[in-house]
Amino acid sequence: HFISMAHFRSHWKKYLLGSVVVGLLGRWIAKKNRDNNIVREYCIEAKKFGDETVEMITRPKKVFVFLNPEANNKEARKQFRKYSAPLLHLSGMDIIIIESNYEGQIQTLLGYIESSTDALVVAGGGGTIMEVVNGLIRRKEKENIDIPIGIVPVGKENRFFTNYIDNESTCQVRKVCEATMNIIKGKTIPVDVMRLKPEKGKVMYSLSCVEWGAIYSAEKNKNSFRLLGRLRTVCSYINTAVR
């Protein structure tokens, strides 16, 4: 059947709305297919490591994953489970996932991790990374322990990962999968750690930057202006300055 111009003029709003809905649905389906194809591609690669033949006395690599379920507005857990966890399990490694419930918990738990652990994986934002770094260095000050740290960038900004590891990928799914494969392959790079010793209180360690005072408040609160898009950072700093 053909649509008459008279009918179209009388119901143009419905046709416009329908076109928008169909367009958005098509984009969503295309994105889902793209993401599924990316994960499938990396799953095939990860499975090759799990299929490798090893001697019976060889134990699988033990990896502790510290996941912050609240990171990235609770998107961190979802992204880790969909894009990273399948690769880790297919690789044949012994994966132990620990979800943090409160700030400082990870630092405490790191005091009880076996020194024979092959790797620690951080799935979260900058705060989670700092907890693991501080907990591991404090442990290292007491005993001879050397465990590499892997990062799965499922936080909101992932500044350390972007600055030091990967600043080219624009697809979040591919970025998470590629980071996970780097962990499976055992790729490492050396990074500098800043040691901060205040006049009072504990010594702290940092990797990418140090924020305090008004700058810290502005960065922490800028997500409150997320509806403003790219202007959220500017608005957060202005709001902090005038308060």
Side-chain angles (χ1 to χ4, degrees), residues 28-115:
W28 181 81
I29 293 174
K31 183 179 181 300
K32 291 289 289 184
N33 285 334
R34 183 203 66 182
D35 293 348
N36 290 337
N37 289 334
I38 291 173
V39 175
R40 188 180 298 112
E41 169 193 336
Y42 282 96
C43 281
I44 293 172
E45 185 179 0
K47 190 174 183 297
K48 294 178 181 177
F49 290 85
D51 290 341
E52 289 181 355
T53 303
V54 297
E55 297 181 4
M56 290 186 64
I57 60 174
T58 303
R59 69 169 180 83
K61 291 182 178 179
K62 177 174 283 189
V63 177
F64 282 88
V65 179
F66 293 99
L67 170 63
N68 181 0
E70 299 298 319
N72 195 7
N73 295 327
K74 299 185 178 181
E75 280 290 312
R77 176 194 280 157
K78 178 181 176 182
Q79 290 186 19
F80 174 77
R81 288 181 173 177
K82 288 182 66 176
Y83 311 135
S84 180
L87 308 185
L88 292 173
H89 290 297
L90 284 170
S91 70
M93 296 190 293
D94 182 13
I95 307 299
I96 302 169
I97 301 174
I98 300 175
E99 293 192 10
S100 60
N101 297 314
Y102 54 86
E103 186 176 347
Q105 182 185 28
I106 292 176
Q107 287 193 52
T108 302
L109 292 174
L110 279 167
Y112 301 95
I113 298 296
E114 299 100 314
S115 57

Side-chain angles (χ1 to χ4, degrees), residues 196 209-219 237 240:
L196 310 172
C209 65
V210 180
E211 297 171 346
W212 67 91
I215 295 178
Y216 172 77
S217 298
E219 286 292 328
Y237 273 79
T240 302

